[in-house]
């Protein structure tokens, strides 16, 4: 399996003599990058938005995506901001929150008396495999909610440039729209 291959590559990378150290490190890094790329491809393929992509397009998109980490409590993006990226949760839990005029407006008072921006009420939680931020990215509208890491989160980051390249180069807008409407 890939996990076993990864362990073997790491073992031999550290066991090689110092003269070959740079080559061994680059081999181990190559295995890690390859594993990360496979994880990104798997997550992309599991999303309805990308499930109709052919393997080459999927691999190309995965190579342009990143894996990002957010610590528990970290704000991932805020309501009413523009979208330059969307995320696919790889591990962890994300709280989606929305501010309204009925749930406290823009600020809350901390116990210390300091004003802190309100993140709003929790409207949903999402976990492994969920897409967040895709609506704002695809439509150009402002974000409708704030996303906060409820636990440590690892996610696949898909940025606007990668999607635009894919859409315009491959003319995939129709195929992706159809997959979303099914």
């Amino acid at each position: 399996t890939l996990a076993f291959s990864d362990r073997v590559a790491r073992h031999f990378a550290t066991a090689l003599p110092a003269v070959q150290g740079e080559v061994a490190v680059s081999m181990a890094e190559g295995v890690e990058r390859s594993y990360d790329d496979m994880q990104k491809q798997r997550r992309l393929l599991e999303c309805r938005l990308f499930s109709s992509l052919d393997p080459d397009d999927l691999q190309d998109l995965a190579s342009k995506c990143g894996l990002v980490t957010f610590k528990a409590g970290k704000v991932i993006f805020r309501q009413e901001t523009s979208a330059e990226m969307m995320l696919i949760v790889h591990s962890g839990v994300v709280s989606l929150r929305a501010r309204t005029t009925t749930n406290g407006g823009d600020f809350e008072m901390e116990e210390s008396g300091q004003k802190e921006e309100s993140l709003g009420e929790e409207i949903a939680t999402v976990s492994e495999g969920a897409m967040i931020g895709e609506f704002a990215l695809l439509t150009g509208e402002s974000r409708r909610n704030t996303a906060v890491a409820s636990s440590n989160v690892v996610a696949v980051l898909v940025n606007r440039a990668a999607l635009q390249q894919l859409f315009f180069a491959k003319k995939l807008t129709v195929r992706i729209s159809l997959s979303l409407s099914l």
Side-chain angles (χ1 to χ4, degrees):
T1 68
L2 188 56
F4 175 74
S5 300
D6 185 43
R7 285 198 328 250
V8 170
R10 288 173 191 274
H11 169 73
F12 286 111
T14 58
L16 290 174
V19 176
Q20 297 175 350
E22 289 181 27
V23 173
V25 169
S26 68
M27 285 173 49
E29 287 174 353
V31 169
E32 188 171 312
R33 270 194 296 270
S34 175
Y35 179 75
D36 286 350
D37 285 347
M38 288 179 62
Q39 292 301 309
K40 291 185 289 188
Q41 285 180 37
R42 180 173 69 93
R43 283 293 172 217
L44 290 166
L45 187 58
E46 290 171 353
C47 288
R48 256 177 105 182
L49 182 62
F50 304 114
S51 62
S52 66
L53 293 179
D54 64 52
D56 290 338
D57 291 334
L58 190 67
Q59 184 175 7
D60 185 46
L61 179 60
S63 72
K64 293 175 180 149
C65 295
L67 278 178
V68 293
T69 304
F70 301 94
K71 291 191 184 278
K74 176 77 174 161
V75 174
I76 298 170
F77 56 75
R78 294 187 182 277
Q79 184 175 343
E80 299 175 4
T81 59
S82 63
E84 290 303 316
M85 57 83 175
M86 62 173 271
L87 298 167
I88 303 166
V89 179
H90 182 64
S91 64
V93 177
V94 176
S95 170
L96 299 176
R97 303 174 127 344
R99 284 190 322 256
T100 65
T101 55
T102 60
N103 69 10
D106 293 337
F107 292 95
E108 293 178 344
M109 294 298 284
E110 286 187 11
E111 287 180 22
S112 65
Q114 299 248 348
K115 279 187 176 180
E116 181 181 274
E117 183 178 0
S118 170
L119 300 176
E121 288 183 32
E122 184 173 79
I123 56 172
T125 58
V126 296
S127 59
E128 186 176 313
M131 285 188 298
I132 57 172
E134 76 282 1
F135 185 80
L137 182 63
L138 293 171
T139 64
E141 293 182 18
S142 295
R143 295 198 185 274
R144 293 181 176 187
N145 52 46
T146 295
V148 180
S150 295
S151 66
N152 290 340
V153 172
V154 177
V156 177
L157 184 144
V158 182
N159 67 30
R160 179 182 302 282
L163 278 182
Q164 285 177 334
Q165 274 186 321
L166 185 64
F167 288 173
F168 294 123
K170 303 291 183 179
K171 306 212 182 326
L172 293 173
T173 309
V174 172
R175 281 180 29 203
I176 287 177
S177 295
L178 287 174
S179 75
L180 284 176
S181 65
L182 296 176

